Amino acid sequence: MERSAGILLPIFSLPGSYGAGVLGREAREFVDFLHDAGQRWWQILPIGPTGAGNSPYTSESTFAGNPLLIDLERLAEEGLLDRADLEAAKVPSSARIDYGALYRLREPLLRKAFQRARGEGDGKVRDFAEKNPWLAEYVLYRAAKIRFQGQAWFQWPEEGLRRHEPAALEHWRRELAEDVAFRSYVQYWFFSQWAELKEYANENGVRVIGDMPIYVSLDSADVWSERGEFLLDGEGRPSKVAGVPPDYFSEEGQLWGNPLYNWPAMKQDGFGWWIRRVGGASRLFDAIRIDHFRGLESYWAVPAESDTAKAGAWEKGPGMDLLRVLTSWFPKTAYIAEDLGILTDAVHRLRDEAGPPGMKVLEFAFSGPDNAYLPHHYQPGCICYTDTHDNDTAVGWYEHASPEERAFAETYLGVSGAESVRKALLRCGQSSVAELFVAQMQDYLVLGIEARLNVPGVAEGNWCWRLLPGQVSQELAEEIRSMTAAFSRC
């Protein structure tokens, strides 16, 4: 990456009339804002169907798109919805997403659009399915999950389907043909709209950083259809699950609960599952942030029956065996290593050998002058963030920092008070030698803890913040561009 700057904002946090951000007009307007602000990168979170707690990191598919992000107005332009349909879907503007309302309102409208699209659009959907082999597995998984009242796949009453046996798959594709067809259309719409938005962004000098979670959910189409890639027993249950030990984010550690990979089997197969996964992501994004990069060197394995992550232990990851394959298959794909958490020399060596830049987070920096996240310790080739989606905003961080951290931050930055520190953090990151500087949109908007996206280890209330109409202005774009240009990042 060249010296540049970007802003982190999830698609769902965009403003709009339909309860959450979508891939439509407001998304293109945000691209315009980024262009005017001199930002060359838009970093988003995963865009798959959300899972437990509405988290984009607990998706039921690593390949599918989130139906909640589909632009209903675009479907109306195509004649698949009418004005009355759009009015019925509108939700009063709010800085918090009401997911319950979204789920109640969105699917009936998508089904109406599907009924109007059938026949004329079948050929395009068939072509889309042929180019995306994952689609057949995902839409059947999703249709079966609905048929069985939302039960996880390993609880489905039909044993053959639960075990992914060919005869059962053929039977249930016929049995659930209508719902399978509907969900195929939904995915076609999502990816068609995504392709248009990404093309618009690239034409306006904005590239997209996507996020690739290292793990997948146990209750997902991926694990159901390819369980040999994961460490599971005959009933599809893991003996150990993923997490991280106690760290900055949580004294108890984080018990994620994802199944662990069967790395020996994956290596023997040439890491085909990962090639397919990264191949899909590389078609969607201009750069891929590899979540929890340190888990590729060593990962925290927790006994499945444990209540917290404290009982886990480190086990060896695939390291360069995997990364060498991915970089050779996708030599033009840019990566960012999310190398946060408990790091070792081995993790640093792996990142340096593989080549992707690592992350430096300013909110982690102010424990003392030897802290590696302080900009005077940076080496060229890193990415600097004020904070990430798992952190408080700059204002919220300052207000809740320990007295010692706050005092050192004020000494280091040469300012005092929440507003002055917020501005100084942005200038500090922009002026650093990091090749890319990224701030959350909330940091430019002077928002506090009320705008935090996620609190790790807290199951509810996350992933809800969104912009209000008019909150992002041309005046703000000019202010950001001025700072970005001053530090040669435009």
Side-chain angles (χ1 to χ4, degrees):
M1 294 179 182
E2 73 284 357
R3 185 171 177 81
S4 55
I7 290 177
L8 191 163
L9 183 79
I11 300 292
F12 63 73
S13 290
L14 290 165
S17 302
Y18 304 100
V22 297
L23 304 171
R25 173 172 51 85
E26 290 83 6
R28 292 189 294 274
E29 288 175 351
F30 189 70
V31 169
D32 296 340
F33 170 83
L34 291 169
H35 172 78
D36 293 344
Q39 307 298 289
R40 300 188 198 174
W41 294 94
W42 180 6
Q43 181 168 340
I44 61 174
L45 301 186
I47 56 176
T50 53
N54 302 306
S55 171
Y57 291 89
T58 56
S59 181
E60 60 188 20
S61 171
T62 63
F63 296 96
N66 187 349
L68 297 180
L69 304 182
I70 290 175
D71 179 24
L72 299 178
E73 293 184 352
R74 180 56 189 270
L75 297 184
E77 291 173 3
E78 296 173 3
L80 304 180
L81 296 174
D82 55 35
R83 182 54 52 184
D85 296 325
L86 297 182
E87 289 298 320
K90 286 186 176 180
V91 175
S93 295
S94 171
R96 304 290 292 175
I97 295 172
D98 181 349
Y99 282 100
L102 274 184
Y103 289 119
R104 286 194 306 273
L105 295 170
R106 192 57 54 86
E107 184 155 317
L109 286 180
L110 293 177
R111 285 189 178 277
K112 181 178 286 189
F114 164 65
Q115 292 301 330
R116 293 176 177 173
R118 294 206 71 174
E120 184 176 345
D122 288 357
K124 293 179 180 178
V125 175
R126 279 196 300 270
D127 290 343
F128 174 73
E130 289 176 3
K131 295 174 183 176
N132 294 275
W134 56 267
L135 182 67
E137 300 287 3
Y138 171 68
V139 295
L140 179 58
Y141 160 87
R142 186 64 191 149
K145 192 172 176 67
I146 296 300
R147 169 63 64 92
F148 300 126
Q149 292 77 51
Q151 293 184 86
W153 65 263
F154 45 82
Q155 298 172 326
W156 290 347
E158 297 294 329
E159 183 177 2
L161 183 63
R162 189 172 67 240
R163 293 182 176 276
H164 201 258
E165 295 174 355
L169 297 179
E170 183 178 351
H171 167 78
W172 282 99
R173 281 198 171 91
R174 293 194 302 270
E175 178 74 15
L176 302 173
E178 182 76 4
D179 204 26
V180 162
F182 162 64
R183 298 186 188 284
S184 298
Y185 264 83
V186 168
Q187 290 301 308
Y188 166 72
W189 290 330
F190 175 91
F191 283 96
S192 297
Q193 292 185 6
W194 175 263
E196 291 177 358
L197 175 60
K198 183 175 181 295
E199 182 179 15
Y200 183 82
N202 290 167
E203 288 175 348
N204 283 274
V206 175
R207 288 166 288 176
V208 180
I209 300 173
D211 206 322
M212 189 173 70
I214 186 173
Y215 293 118
V216 302
S217 299
L218 175 60
D219 185 17
S220 65
D222 309 274
V223 178
W224 169 65
S225 62
E226 300 192 72
R227 71 185 68 182
E229 308 286 355
F230 305 89
L231 292 176
L232 306 172
D233 63 19
E235 297 301 315
R237 304 295 184 118
S239 58
K240 296 178 182 179
V241 295
V244 290
D247 61 8
Y248 177 93
F249 293 113
S250 174
E251 293 181 358
E252 296 292 317
Q254 298 176 50
L255 185 59
W256 296 335
N258 309 81
L260 299 174
Y261 294 113
N262 186 346
W263 288 120
M266 285 185 157
K267 182 178 180 179
Q268 186 174 8
D269 177 51
F271 297 105
W273 185 87
W274 280 92
I275 292 170
R276 295 193 298 277
R277 185 184 189 192
V278 174
S282 67
R283 289 189 291 272
L284 294 175
F285 311 123
D286 299 295
I288 299 171
R289 173 186 176 273
I290 304 175
D291 182 59
H292 195 56
F293 178 85
R294 76 98 58 239
L296 299 182
E297 193 284 319
S298 294
Y299 56 91
W300 192 248
V302 184
E305 67 276 7
S306 299
D307 294 326
T308 74
K310 284 185 173 181
W314 292 109
E315 297 188 8
K316 199 67 176 172
M320 281 304 299
D321 288 343
L322 171 62
L323 293 169
R324 193 176 293 110
V325 167
L326 297 182
T327 53
S328 63
W329 269 80
F330 308 104
K332 296 182 179 179
T333 299
Y335 300 95
I336 297 172
E338 191 265 299
D339 55 345
L340 306 176
I342 299 174
L343 304 183
T344 63
D345 289 342
V347 177
H348 293 304
R349 287 194 299 270
L350 177 63
R351 182 201 61 224
D352 292 343
E353 184 176 358
M359 292 174 55
K360 306 292 185 183
V361 180
L362 289 174
E363 287 186 8
F364 296 166
F366 300 105
S367 62
D370 295 329
N371 190 308
Y373 292 118
L374 287 170
H376 69 270
H377 292 305
Y378 292 0
Q379 298 293 321
C382 65
I383 312 294
C384 176
Y385 289 77
T386 48
D387 36 55
T388 77
H389 62 272
D390 282 333
N391 304 125
D392 209 337
T393 66
V395 170
W397 167 80
Y398 177 83
E399 291 176 346
H400 297 91
S402 68
E404 295 78 14
E405 274 188 300
R406 190 182 302 176
F408 183 74
E410 292 180 342
T411 298
Y412 189 89
L413 299 171
V415 297
S416 62
E419 174 59 3
S420 295
V421 167
R422 178 194 70 87
K423 289 183 177 179
L425 284 173
L426 293 168
R427 288 196 303 272
C428 191
Q430 290 268 22
S431 65
S432 73
V433 298
E435 59 188 56
L436 171 62
F437 169 68
V438 179
Q440 290 195 89
M441 191 66 235
Q442 299 94 306
D443 295 338
Y444 286 115
L445 291 170
V446 203
L447 298 178
I449 193 171
E450 75 282 356
R452 182 168 182 169
L453 284 173
N454 181 48
V455 181
V458 175
E460 298 180 354
N462 295 317
W463 320 110
C464 292
W465 175 78
R466 64 189 298 232
L467 290 165
L468 293 171
Q471 200 167 14
V472 172
S473 66
Q474 186 62 33
E475 181 181 11
L476 179 60
E478 292 170 0
E479 177 185 326
I480 296 172
R481 171 177 279 276
S482 177
M483 182 190 302
T484 304
F487 298 112
S488 303
R489 291 190 180 274
C490 285

